[in-house]
Structure formats: structure tokens, C-alpha cells
Amino acid sequence: MDEMMLLRHGETEWSRTGRHTGRTDVPLTPRGEEQARALAPVVGARRFSLVLVSPARRARRTAELAGAGDYEVEPNLWEWDYGGYEGITTPDIRQSRPGWYLWRDGVVPGDADHPGETAAQVGERADKVIARARAAGGEVLVVAHGHMLRVLTARWLGLPPEDGRLFRLDTGTYGALGWEHAEPVICHWNAPVG
């Protein structure tokens, strides 16, 4: 595999207001759609052997507006399942759990639709995506979510999933993972378009 380009979906109302958005399928805002369209020159400049997109509407719409062309919906690219913290902001969680930090403290179980995941479980899903990308060869495009892509990046580098905490990733940005002297590296990160 040459390089894996990562796109984080454009802004949603929940991402704009800091609400944890795992499996709730919220749409892009108008600004999020603009962010997705702005990614088109970066996406259009490459030929991808494989394009994988999260099942979430916000990711699929970002892929479409960015001009990703034919893509495969990859269930392993769903965002971290935040369990009982789905739709809640960090400041609100900290009212009952002072000092709470997702990467260290994890989530509490939620309802049947949001049972919650550990960082290790997200890491296992990321490893499956990485294996598919490496097997495809060439350049690969992945369109997904902030925390998922951060975990995927940590795993690409051989780090534990929790080290995704080190890689802030804003909406509507792109990154690229690749190689230097046969070792996995970050080539670009959290890059805005324009």
C-alpha cells in the first residue's frame, strides 16, 4: 500500500456543540457540506484502489460531496460507541464524573442501541480496516469520524488505541498515513483545505 488518505466528515450540529456522536445518525450542517465540497480538490488529485466509508450518513455525504466516487460502506468505520454518553458533552459528563477523560476513563453502558465500547474494541475495528487497506495496495481513501480515525492512526503507528488522544482531528480536514523507510508514519495531519 502506498498511502491511506483519511477524511473526517464535515461539521454536524452535534460536532459543532461538542456532543459525543457515535451511532446517532445526524446530518451535516450547511457548513459541513461546504467543508466536504472543499475536500474535492485533494480527493480528485488521486486515484484510489479502494475507498472505504463509515455507514453513517454524515460520512457518506462527505464522501459524495468530496467526489470520492464509488465507495464501499465499511461497518468497522463507525465512530466509537459512546454508550450512555451518546449525545452528551464532556462538561456535562464531568458534572457527575469530575475530571472524566474519554481516552483514560472510557464510557458507561447505554441502551440497546448504544451499549458502549472500550478503546481496545475500537482498536480491533481499526486493525481490520488497516488490514483491508494494506491488502488493497495502491492509494486508499477512508472517510469516517474523529475518534475512530484517531484510533486508526494510533494503530497504524503501532501504538495502543488510547494513544489516539495525541492526534486532534477537526471536522472537514484530511490526513494521510504512509511510509518512510518501510516504517509507518503520518504524512499529513488535520490539514484544512485552502
Side-chain angles (χ1 to χ4, degrees):
M1 189 186 106
D2 296 330
E3 196 169 84
M4 180 165 36
M5 177 178 276
L6 310 176
L7 302 184
R8 181 175 176 198
H9 65 76
E11 177 190 82
T12 68
E13 184 59 31
W14 281 25
S15 68
R16 189 184 66 74
T17 58
R19 295 171 69 181
H20 287 86
T21 317
R23 305 299 167 93
T24 303
D25 207 2
V26 296
L28 297 177
T29 62
R31 180 173 183 267
E33 291 201 354
E34 288 173 21
Q35 289 175 317
R37 282 187 198 94
L39 292 165
V42 176
V43 171
R46 301 186 181 210
R47 293 185 63 91
F48 297 103
S49 59
L50 179 65
V51 179
L52 300 174
V53 179
S54 162
R57 176 174 38 165
R58 59 195 181 272
R60 288 181 289 131
R61 184 70 175 143
T62 296
E64 292 159 5
L65 293 172
D70 292 335
Y71 60 80
E72 288 185 48
V73 171
E74 172 53 71
N76 285 310
L77 285 172
W78 266 114
E79 178 62 294
W80 193 321
D81 182 341
Y82 298 117
Y85 294 148
E86 182 75 10
I88 302 174
T89 67
T90 296
D92 288 341
I93 295 165
R94 287 181 174 169
Q95 288 181 7
S96 61
R97 274 185 88 177
W100 175 82
Y101 185 55
L102 173 67
W103 299 97
R104 178 188 60 236
D105 303 320
V107 301
V108 296
D111 60 23
D113 292 331
H114 306 95
E117 282 183 296
T118 65
Q121 289 170 317
V122 180
E124 288 170 14
R125 292 193 290 112
D127 287 346
K128 291 175 184 174
V129 173
I130 291 168
R132 281 200 70 192
R134 287 183 173 162
E139 294 200 40
V140 174
L141 175 63
V142 173
V143 185
H145 315 277
H147 283 119
M148 179 60 190
L149 292 173
R150 292 168 69 178
V151 169
L152 188 146
T153 299
R155 297 302 301 137
W156 175 263
L157 297 171
L159 302 171
E162 296 83 1
D163 281 356
R165 68 186 169 77
L166 301 171
F167 308 110
R168 177 186 163 142
L169 187 59
D170 298 325
T171 58
T173 59
Y174 71 95
L177 306 177
W179 306 93
E180 182 181 59
H181 306 297
E183 294 295 324
V185 296
I186 297 172
C187 300
H188 302 283
W189 191 253
N190 205 28
V193 178

